[in-house]
Amino acid sequence: MQTVMTKNFDYGEKEINYLKNVDTVLGAAMTQMGKVERVIIPDLFAALVHAIVGQLISAKAVQTIWARMQEKLGAITPQNIAVQTALEIQSCGITMKKATCILNIAQTIEQGLLDLQELYELSDAQVIQKLSSLQGIGPWTAEMMLINCMERPDVVSWGDMAIRRGMMKLYHLDTLTKQQFEEYRRVYSPYGSVASIYLWSISFR
């Protein structure tokens, strides 16, 4: 079975100490939890496929489907995925809409019409804009790419329900407005991605 390479999101004392200093509530939770590791996929195409698979389903379901995809389809590369049918991709346990989206992106890359490597030269906002122009990709999927692949340091996604839930649990809120969210996001900056890693963890505790 082919396995996609993974690593942990790279952060350390600098980011941890900064967040503890600017937000004592988050800081206390971080102290209690210790270092939380976030597994990421450095390969842009594999990470994009993984992010599409993860749209609107649980983390557990993603794990099952992801393992099945690698088993049934082999290497998660544009070359390999572009020659599959949408039906074969769908049979791994995803919707036909997601399968078609994955196939289209693989074929677009294979035809030389999309160069994912160019994303590294773009700002966060430009990456979101570029990826959101692809069929089936919205801002949330693009933001997951920024954190879970490109290791951009300052991403906190309003579109991520688990992050919002983590904030509500952490600060004991019954509701969370966009304005409150933005205030917290500004406090975490420039290390929002590390705050996100902790908020995800808090949301599932």
Side-chain angles (χ1 to χ4, degrees):
M1 182 181 126
Q2 299 281 345
T3 50
V4 170
M5 293 288 294
T6 59
K7 69 183 280 287
N8 287 332
F9 189 100
D10 190 19
Y11 74 98
E13 290 302 313
K14 180 179 70 172
E15 293 85 351
I16 291 168
N17 291 335
Y18 179 88
L19 290 169
K20 284 180 178 178
N21 286 331
V22 294
D23 187 327
T24 52
V25 180
L26 176 62
M30 290 172 80
T31 302
Q32 187 196 357
M33 292 160 77
K35 189 172 183 188
V36 174
E37 297 295 3
R38 177 82 181 172
V39 176
I40 65 148
I41 299 171
D43 180 78
L44 285 164
F45 179 73
L48 188 54
V49 173
H50 189 270
I52 294 165
V53 169
Q55 292 168 352
L56 301 174
I57 63 171
S58 72
K60 197 168 182 195
V62 175
Q63 276 181 332
T64 307
I65 294 165
W66 190 237
R68 199 180 296 143
M69 282 182 93
Q70 293 176 79
E71 210 171 295
K72 288 183 82 162
L73 306 176
I76 309 292
T77 60
Q79 300 83 346
N80 187 36
I81 300 298
V83 297
Q84 313 283 341
T85 66
L87 213 54
E88 284 168 324
I89 299 169
Q90 184 203 16
S91 74
C92 297
I94 58 174
T95 62
M96 183 49 91
K97 189 179 170 191
K98 287 184 185 180
T100 308
C101 169
I102 289 166
L103 182 60
N104 285 344
I105 290 169
Q107 290 175 342
T108 306
I109 292 168
E110 273 301 273
Q111 290 158 9
L113 301 173
L114 173 66
D115 179 6
L116 288 178
Q117 293 302 322
E118 286 176 357
L119 297 177
Y120 286 115
E121 292 153 33
L122 305 178
S123 68
D124 291 359
Q126 288 170 323
V127 170
I128 292 168
Q129 190 182 2
K130 174 100 173 166
L131 288 174
S132 298
S133 70
L134 300 171
Q135 185 200 345
I137 307 280
W140 175 82
T141 308
E143 286 166 338
M144 292 308 100
M145 283 289 287
L146 287 171
I147 297 183
N148 296 330
C149 172
M150 300 172 78
E151 295 187 84
R152 292 289 173 94
D154 198 17
V155 183
V156 188
S157 172
W158 166 255
D160 192 290
M161 283 178 65
I163 283 180
R164 295 208 305 268
R165 190 171 64 218
M167 270 189 188
M168 288 165 71
K169 278 173 98 166
L170 179 64
Y171 303 110
H172 304 294
L173 305 170
D174 293 327
T175 56
L176 179 70
T177 64
K178 184 90 190 318
Q179 190 185 346
Q180 285 172 303
F181 174 89
E182 286 300 327
E183 282 167 15
Y184 290 126
R185 192 178 64 77
R186 278 196 290 273
V187 170
Y188 305 150
S189 186
Y191 301 122
S193 297
V194 174
S196 292
I197 288 168
Y198 278 88
L199 290 168
W200 270 315
S201 238
I202 290 164
S203 110
F204 292 114
R205 292 178 82 188

